[in-house]
Amino acid sequence: MRDYVILTDSCCDLSAEMAAELELSVLPLSFVMEGKEYFNYLDGRDIEPGDFYKRLRNGSLGTTSAINVAVFTEAMTELADQGKDVLCIAFSSGLSTTYQSACIAAGDVMAAHPGSKVLVCDSRAASLGQGLLVYLAVQEKRKGKTLEEVRDFVEERKDHIDHWFTVDDLNHLKRGGRVSAAAALLGTMLQMKPVLHVDGEGHLIPVSRVRGRKASVHALLEQMDRLVEDPSVVFISHGDCEEEARGLAEAIQARYRVDRLVINYVGPVIGNHSGPGTLALFFQGKHK
């Protein structure tokens, strides 16, 4: 059996240390802010998360870009030249063209390297939801599963990776077209906080609104209580509100036996759209 590498992109929002632990190959998306292009490297070498969120709070906005075909082709070709196959798990096609670029590149690389396999999965996930799916895929690979077996696992499991999150400022979602200007204004005046999730097609869907931040954070926990299937691994990402993320983690650990709980920043590519104060919870559920 040929060796294979799991390739993903920086919208997985894993830490650089965890990506290294999992032996991943990770390609960065990019964004432009204040006239300068930054790459969303997991180690924050271009821009630290704290600095990024400080700029957002001060009114700066970025424009984000997907990974193009050429970048995927170069990375996949390098692995094929080493005699390695590739399983690429890409950022949701419902939120980015990154998956489509990966598919085109995979076809080109396999045509140029007969005998090589480059398989691409649409995670239909975002942030640490994507990170959780990649983490679970690595665990399957470490059990000795083949490339195709892990691909099939990812295709099945992605429908069970629950994404639930809330944001502190509706105006960022308004700019992304996720809520109307009127709803953002009214919600801000009434201190209404949205609860959202990522659906089975990988799209961002508003579910409800509650009054106040404390209620919105509790709503995430309620969704886990309602839907959780396997609480052994839980991931939480945040838009520079680590204290609240840790509070949510403590509440979950008090309720469930959790073997691994990961907390990390929402990276700048997703954070540009969700804003400071985003709090997101990811777990394996009965369904998305």
Side-chain angles (χ1 to χ4, degrees), residues 132-202:
L132 175 55
L133 186 61
V134 169
Y135 171 83
L136 295 171
V138 170
Q139 307 317 304
E140 294 300 301
K141 179 178 187 286
R142 288 177 174 175
K143 294 174 185 176
K145 300 289 182 67
T146 66
L147 174 69
E148 289 83 2
E149 286 172 334
V150 177
R151 185 270 316 275
D152 293 345
F153 169 83
V154 170
E155 291 297 334
E156 181 279 329
R157 192 69 338 217
K158 71 186 183 185
D159 291 327
H160 297 270
I161 304 298
D162 272 72
H163 301 53
W164 290 92
F165 71 102
T166 187
V167 300
D168 198 38
D169 183 354
L170 285 161
N171 288 303
H172 287 276
L173 291 177
K174 179 195 75 174
R175 281 188 287 268
R178 300 300 174 185
V179 298
S180 69
L185 177 61
L186 184 62
T188 300
M189 289 172 61
L190 299 177
Q191 280 295 296
M192 299 300 290
K193 305 298 182 183
V195 177
L196 308 96
H197 82 125
V198 172
D199 70 6
E201 298 303 311

Side-chain angles (χ1 to χ4, degrees), residues 164-170 187 191-197 207-224 241 244 248 276-281:
W164 290 92
F165 71 102
T166 187
V167 300
D168 198 38
D169 183 354
L170 285 161
Q191 280 295 296
M192 299 300 290
K193 305 298 182 183
V195 177
L196 308 96
H197 82 125
V207 175
S208 63
R209 292 188 181 92
V210 295
R211 187 182 293 275
R213 178 68 168 184
K214 188 175 180 180
S216 69
V217 174
H218 184 70
L220 305 183
L221 192 57
E222 288 180 333
Q223 294 295 345
M224 183 171 179
C241 54
E244 285 179 308
L248 178 59
T278 299
L279 187 62
L281 172 63

Side-chain angles (χ1 to χ4, degrees), residues 18 24 39 48 53 56 63 65 72 76 128 134 138 156 160 165 170-171 180 184 187 193 212 230 255 275 277 288:
M18 192 165 182
L24 300 172
F39 286 91
E48 291 286 342
Y53 282 106
L56 278 188
T63 55
S65 299
F72 271 119
M76 292 170 175
L128 279 179
V134 169
V138 170
E156 181 279 329
H160 297 270
F165 71 102
L170 285 161
N171 288 303
S180 69
K193 305 298 182 183
D230 179 356
R255 270 173 154 88
K288 247 184 180 175

